[in-house]
Amino acid sequence: MSTDPFVVVGADAAGLSAASKFRRAAPDREVIVFEKGHWISYAYCGMPYFIEGRVDQLSNLLSLSPEEANERGIDLRRGHEVTGVDPESQTVSVESDGETVDQPYADLLVATGGRATTGPFDVRGVDGAFTLHNMDAAAAIDAYIAEPDAYEFARVDDTPVDRKRVEHNAALAAPETAAIVGGGYVGVEMAEALRGRDLDVHLFQRSDHVLPPFGEAVAERVQEELTEKGVTVHTNTPVEALVGKDRIEAVEFDGAELAVDLAIVGVGIRPNTELLAGTGIELGAGGAIRTDDYGRTNLDDIYAAGDCATARHTITGDETWFPLGLTANRGGRAIGSTVAGEPMPVGDIAGTAVVKAFDQECGRVGLLDEEEATAAGFEPVAATITAGSRSGYYPGAAETDVTLVADRETERLLGGAIVGPDRAAVRINTLSTALDAGMTVGEIEQLDLAYAPPFSPVWDPILVAAKVLNGRLND
Amino acid sequence: MSTDPFVVVGADAAGLSAASKFRRAAPDREVIVFEKGHWISYAYCGMPYFIEGRVDQLSNLLSLSPEEANERGIDLRRGHEVTGVDPESQTVSVESDGETVDQPYADLLVATGGRATTGPFDVRGVDGAFTLHNMDAAAAIDAYIAEPDAYEFARVDDTPVDRKRVEHNAALAAPETAAIVGGGYVGVEMAEALRGRDLDVHLFQRSDHVLPPFGEAVAERVQEELTEKGVTVHTNTPVEALVGKDRIEAVEFDGAELAVDLAIVGVGIRPNTELLAGTGIELGAGGAIRTDDYGRTNLDDIYAAGDCATARHTITGDETWFPLGLTANRGGRAIGSTVAGEPMPVGDIAGTAVVKAFDQECGRVGLLDEEEATAAGFEPVAATITAGSRSGYYPGAAETDVTLVADRETERLLGGAIVGPDRAAVRINTLSTALDAGMTVGEIEQLDLAYAPPFSPVWDPILVAAKVLNGRLND
């Protein structure tokens, strides 16, 4: 075995999970983590809640400090950008303070994450136009929303924030009207966040429904909720252009123009794979780095994990790309163990996701989309029901919609979605578990789920949905 | 096939689920439901919340009215007591208004439920001493707690309540101090209910911990919660006697006496099987009527379901008795289908249960008890962890304890328990599903569970527990 170190590129969820696990499993070996920026281990998913003001300090979103990483025996080098990989000589080129050195590796983990795509829009250099995919952007948006020169800089203290950018935004006139371009997770969460800051909010979604991966039943309830909470939802409305040279002035759509003084573009993310260009690396689903069950790429001793890597889908067994937090943490941890000599599979993903839209809790898992399920070789049959979240007489009982999708022939569950205001989101884990186990709808109907008036009716909404779908399958 | 009707004894969850399903599946055949009392289809589990005052009307706890049952085509006969069964002639003797008639049956469902046991205590004829296993008792307790002659009888309107008993109790002096004998579900729920009515509450539990089926971790948290909310918890304290001839005066324990003016005995229930005495019926676990996968007893064309029947345990495959609401509803429904000519198994039970103790939500499933697991042929290994219910920075994140128990050799999950104030109870369904699927702890550790800051940390508490237990299993 080479005595060269385990080298990790990127110090967020996947990279630091790998380094931490590796240190515990192989305490005598060296691990170096290169991070081109200054932020490490931050909670991307928490940013909307910081901007909303529910979270007081940006530093609350940091889970591991550089000092803690060092205490774990991780050689963390911030401000070090890996600019090239040579699989032949097993070295990476690392640039820092204008100098480049070659660093040999025994094993290499590429955990470079993803970045916000902006579609046809260019937000660079335009005040008031933002994407939201890093902590500096979150701080900048937060400062921009504040009244001029009234920003509480304590909000961003104790972080390596780009102070100049925050100061610049803090000095600008406070916005009154915001356009959010894209009705995915980020769009919906930001709509809530900006309403929480008393802005007039317009959410633009290119297709029929917001939150496309959650299916129609969830989308309809969420759109109602957004509208009720004062968000103007524009579906079937692709934004054509952002107007404004130095500062955002309007968004153009459908031949019309809406004057705005804040625009947030949340149209998706793409994997950062450029580092490996020219190495012969294979890319796969979503343009992410193709990985196997152990997170290995096609190149010897090179692994990938997190938002830059593919994963295997629980239901289809096919390669997929589903950049979410647990996938990154789990993949990194498994690779850390594998590199340390204790092989651990990274685990399949079922596509479980939950999102909060004001008072509605939404969850989804598996294959919900008819086309997608058909393309994967299934004949999808679906049912959507509405049932109470608690016994009807117990205060707080609320309508919960459950959609289940199954394959006609095998009657196996393919996917599901849940929406409702009362503890709906965590209920998706029941379906995720059933999917992982390959259960049929009949088996789900027979699950011994919990009943007590404050928490669930006798027939849990999931059981009601299974009953109805089972009836449909056996018609 | 006989043209005699399908006869059901008992018009609560199991009986009416069976009759309803049967009518839909066999619309041309007759179904008669005999109920000796006047209440039908009531929510036993909702009574504490009525007494607490969270539920305004006793009628809210009724889910199906006699009129609705008739509209479904069910021949419901209240005030008709089935006093005997003759399996030879396939008839039951039915007594009503002092007359007895023989009713032939093609199929018979015994759904006679259970009744509260009182142990060595006799509560009959003693004012202020109650058990809680029917609607009249709930109404009587509710009236007894009210100030004399200030009871709002509207609380019990539109029900077949025993009005005389309510009036009698409403006239009595209001109690100030209550003893609850037994720290099971009923005891814990009644402690909360009586505190909600501003009583001084003492809860007596014979053994070390309240809620024995939930294991120590849950019990400890619940005992803290009860104490914090003003309930005096007496563990290891069997009550020896209720003192008082016409009205309850005190409870005796451990050589001491505590003056009380209300006592609720909740020491368990027992199945009502007397109707079948002398028929050659086989009884099983808990003294309940032994049933097979389809709810059939050992006697031809006689079925049993609900609190009077046994069930099969998901984990052990052994006969068990676990009288809970879903089991009754599911068993009745399956038998209704089977009798109608569409055989449907009643389903195994995993022993899933949830209970609310003030602000703590508790859940349990499977085999938690070391002795019980060992007796079933397993070598149980357990782990209890504490983890956040949401991302640490998100308001409302609360400590959630998860206990997992697995078999050392197969590493299969045997049972689990959860307690915490934030959406803890419904999380038990994830474990119930995993148990049903026969998952190992390693498989649970790899589940793709939901993550979003408002609902769960990246590593769901269940994943954290699986990680720790898996480490212990592979030590």
Side-chain angles (χ1 to χ4, degrees):
Chain A
M1 186 187 290
S2 160
T3 57
D4 287 330
F6 174 31
V7 169
V8 175
V9 188
D12 199 8
L16 286 177
S17 293
S20 300
K21 178 69 183 174
F22 178 81
R23 282 305 297 177
R24 285 195 303 276
D28 300 330
R29 287 179 59 197
E30 198 187 348
V31 52
I32 307 175
V33 179
F34 293 112
E35 169 56 50
K36 70 175 174 181
H38 289 275
W39 296 97
I40 71 162
S41 189
Y42 63 90
Y44 171 64
C45 300
M47 293 179 193
Y49 308 108
F50 169 72
I51 294 169
E52 186 178 9
R54 253 181 229 266
V55 175
D56 290 335
Q57 300 260 315
L58 194 56
S59 59
N60 295 148
L61 304 187
L62 303 175
S63 56
L64 191 72
S65 69
E67 296 68 36
E68 286 165 333
N70 290 332
E71 276 163 28
R72 286 186 187 181
I74 297 167
D75 182 353
L76 171 67
R77 303 191 196 168
R78 293 186 294 161
H80 284 64
E81 181 170 8
V82 176
T83 55
V85 176
D86 182 353
E88 287 300 310
S89 64
Q90 304 228 133
T91 55
V92 291
S93 306
V94 187
E95 209 179 285
S96 173
D97 292 331
E99 281 183 34
T100 299
V101 295
D102 284 344
Q103 169 64 52
Y105 63 80
D107 297 278
L108 177 68
L109 169 60
V110 179
T112 44
R115 65 180 177 279
T117 53
T118 54
F121 312 113
D122 196 347
V123 300
R124 283 171 305 181
V126 183
D127 285 336
F130 301 90
T131 61
L132 181 64
H133 198 67
N134 64 54
M135 297 287 270
D136 287 312
I141 295 170
D142 188 51
Y144 180 75
I145 297 172
E147 290 298 323
D149 301 320
Y151 187 60
E152 292 173 33
F153 282 85
R155 298 255 297 150
V156 295
D157 280 350
D158 303 320
T159 69
V161 77
D162 180 342
R163 186 99 184 177
K164 273 201 167 157
R165 192 176 166 193
V166 175
E167 282 168 4
H168 171 78
N169 279 281
L172 298 172
E176 292 180 353
T177 307
I180 298 172
V181 183
Y185 307 89
V186 170
V188 168
E189 289 168 350
M190 282 306 298
E192 182 175 351
L194 298 181
R195 285 295 298 150
R197 297 287 292 269
D198 291 325
L199 296 183
D200 184 15
V201 179
H202 291 256
L203 179 65
F204 291 89
Q205 167 65 8
R206 169 178 295 274
S207 66
D208 277 15
H209 290 98
V210 298
L211 295 177
F214 287 72
E216 282 187 25
V218 173
E220 280 168 16
R221 189 84 87 93
V222 169
Q223 285 168 211
E224 270 175 38
E225 177 77 4
L226 290 169
T227 305
E228 200 173 285
K229 294 297 184 343
V231 176
T232 307
V233 181
H234 306 257
T235 50
N236 291 310
T237 310
V239 168
E240 285 144 15
L242 303 185
V243 181
K245 198 167 174 318
D246 297 326
R247 176 159 174 157
I248 186 79
E249 290 165 11
V251 290
E252 264 182 30
F253 57 96
D254 214 3
E257 220 179 83
L258 174 75
V260 302
D261 39 18
L262 170 60
I264 302 210
V265 177
V267 295
I269 73 162
R270 81 162 55 126
N272 293 328
T273 63
E274 292 73 7
L275 173 61
L276 292 166
T279 58
I281 194 80
E282 276 179 25
L283 301 183
I289 301 165
R290 175 164 289 156
T291 54
D292 71 5
D293 288 357
Y294 289 86
R296 291 180 292 228
T297 70
N298 66 310
L299 300 176
D300 285 350
D301 304 321
I302 301 186
Y303 298 76
D307 292 357
C308 66
T310 65
R312 194 171 64 182
H313 197 285
T314 304
I315 310 303
T316 63
D318 292 341
E319 182 178 275
T320 185
W321 180 59
F322 215 97
L324 284 179
L326 179 59
T327 317
N329 279 272
R330 165 175 312 197
R333 177 169 176 265
I335 290 167
S337 179
T338 300
V339 171
E342 296 169 10
M344 182 189 288
V346 296
D348 295 352
I349 64 107
T352 312
V354 285
V355 65
K356 177 176 182 296
F358 292 95
D359 293 336
Q360 294 292 337
E361 303 188 356
C362 318
R364 62 90 61 212
V365 68
L367 300 177
L368 274 173
D369 183 66
E370 192 175 340
E371 268 182 49
E372 201 186 345
T374 307
F378 300 106
E379 189 186 340
V381 182
T384 297
I385 61 91
T386 301
S389 61
R390 314 181 181 190
S391 294
Y393 55 80
Y394 197 94
E399 285 192 348
T400 306
D401 295 345
V402 178
T403 299
L404 294 183
V405 182
D407 178 41
R408 179 168 291 287
E409 192 190 327
T410 60
E411 302 191 359
R412 263 185 60 188
L413 183 70
L414 296 176
I418 304 188
V419 62
D422 182 34
R423 298 180 173 84
V426 291
R427 290 185 192 269
I428 201 70
N429 288 340
T430 303
L431 295 180
S432 180
T433 307
L435 269 182
D436 193 88
M439 282 188 178
T440 65
V441 178
E443 287 167 341
I444 293 168
E445 192 185 338
Q446 294 281 24
L447 285 173
D448 187 10
L449 300 188
Y451 159 52
F455 307 129
S456 172
V458 175
W459 295 98
D460 186 277
I462 288 175
L463 298 178
V464 176
K467 214 158 33 167
V468 171
L469 181 54
N470 208 19
R472 199 161 292 176
L473 286 166
N474 292 291
D475 252 0
Chain B
M1 186 186 292
S2 160
T3 58
D4 287 330
F6 174 33
V7 169
V8 175
V9 188
D12 198 9
L16 286 177
S17 294
S20 299
K21 178 70 182 173
F22 178 81
R23 283 303 298 175
R24 286 194 303 276
D28 300 331
R29 288 180 59 197
E30 196 187 350
V31 53
I32 307 175
V33 179
F34 293 112
E35 168 57 47
K36 69 175 174 181
H38 289 274
W39 296 97
I40 71 161
S41 190
Y42 62 90
Y44 170 65
C45 301
M47 293 178 193
Y49 308 109
F50 169 72
I51 294 169
E52 186 178 8
R54 252 182 228 265
V55 175
D56 290 336
Q57 299 260 316
L58 194 58
S59 60
N60 295 149
L61 304 187
L62 303 175
S63 57
L64 191 74
S65 70
E67 295 70 33
E68 287 164 333
N70 290 334
E71 276 163 28
R72 288 186 185 179
I74 296 167
D75 183 354
L76 171 67
R77 304 191 196 167
R78 294 184 295 159
H80 284 64
E81 181 170 8
V82 175
T83 55
V85 176
D86 182 354
E88 287 297 313
S89 64
Q90 303 227 136
T91 55
V92 293
S93 307
V94 187
E95 208 179 287
S96 173
D97 292 330
E99 282 186 30
T100 299
V101 296
D102 283 345
Q103 169 64 52
Y105 63 81
D107 297 279
L108 177 69
L109 169 60
V110 179
T112 43
R115 65 180 177 280
T117 51
T118 53
F121 313 112
D122 196 348
V123 300
R124 284 172 304 182
V126 183
D127 285 336
F130 301 90
T131 61
L132 181 64
H133 198 67
N134 64 53
M135 297 288 269
D136 287 312
I141 295 170
D142 188 50
Y144 179 74
I145 297 172
E147 289 298 322
D149 300 319
Y151 187 60
E152 294 173 34
F153 282 85
R155 300 251 303 149
V156 296
D157 279 350
D158 303 320
T159 69
V161 77
D162 180 343
R163 186 101 184 173
K164 273 202 168 155
R165 191 172 166 196
V166 174
E167 283 167 5
H168 171 79
N169 280 281
L172 296 171
E176 292 179 355
T177 306
I180 298 172
V181 183
Y185 307 89
V186 170
V188 168
E189 289 168 351
M190 283 306 298
E192 182 176 350
L194 298 181
R195 283 297 297 151
R197 298 286 293 269
D198 292 327
L199 295 183
D200 183 16
V201 179
H202 291 256
L203 179 65
F204 292 88
Q205 168 64 10
R206 171 180 293 277
S207 66
D208 274 14
H209 291 97
V210 298
L211 295 177
F214 286 72
E216 281 188 26
V218 173
E220 280 168 17
R221 190 85 87 94
V222 168
Q223 284 168 212
E224 269 174 39
E225 178 77 3
L226 290 169
T227 305
E228 200 173 287
K229 293 296 186 337
V231 176
T232 307
V233 181
H234 305 257
T235 50
N236 291 311
T237 311
V239 168
E240 284 144 16
L242 303 184
V243 181
K245 200 168 174 319
D246 297 326
R247 176 159 174 157
I248 185 78
E249 290 165 12
V251 290
E252 263 182 30
F253 56 96
D254 212 3
E257 220 179 80
L258 174 76
V260 301
D261 38 19
L262 171 59
I264 304 221
V265 177
V267 295
I269 74 164
R270 79 163 56 129
N272 293 327
T273 63
E274 291 73 7
L275 173 60
L276 293 165
T279 59
I281 194 77
E282 276 179 24
L283 301 182
I289 300 166
R290 174 166 289 158
T291 55
D292 71 5
D293 287 357
Y294 290 85
R296 293 180 292 229
T297 70
N298 66 311
L299 300 176
D300 285 348
D301 305 320
I302 301 186
Y303 298 76
D307 292 357
C308 66
T310 65
R312 193 172 62 183
H313 197 284
T314 304
I315 310 303
T316 62
D318 291 342
E319 183 178 274
T320 183
W321 180 59
F322 215 96
L324 284 178
L326 178 60
T327 315
N329 279 272
R330 174 185 314 245
R333 177 168 176 265
I335 290 165
S337 180
T338 299
V339 172
E342 297 170 10
M344 183 189 288
V346 296
D348 295 352
I349 65 106
T352 312
V354 284
V355 65
K356 178 176 181 297
F358 293 94
D359 293 336
Q360 295 292 337
E361 303 188 357
C362 318
R364 63 91 59 213
V365 67
L367 301 178
L368 273 172
D369 183 67
E370 191 177 341
E371 266 180 51
E372 202 185 342
T374 306
F378 300 106
E379 187 186 339
V381 182
T384 297
I385 61 90
T386 300
S389 62
R390 314 180 181 192
S391 294
Y393 55 81
Y394 197 93
E399 286 192 349
T400 306
D401 295 344
V402 177
T403 299
L404 294 182
V405 181
D407 178 41
R408 178 168 291 285
E409 192 190 327
T410 62
E411 302 191 358
R412 264 184 61 190
L413 183 70
L414 296 176
I418 304 189
V419 62
D422 181 33
R423 299 179 172 83
V426 291
R427 290 185 194 268
I428 201 71
N429 288 341
T430 303
L431 295 180
S432 179
T433 307
L435 268 182
D436 193 89
M439 282 188 179
T440 65
V441 177
E443 287 166 341
I444 293 168
E445 190 185 340
Q446 294 282 23
L447 284 174
D448 187 10
L449 300 188
Y451 159 53
F455 306 130
S456 170
V458 174
W459 296 98
D460 187 277
I462 287 174
L463 297 179
V464 175
K467 217 158 31 167
V468 170
L469 181 53
N470 208 17
R472 199 162 292 177
L473 286 165
N474 292 289
D475 252 1

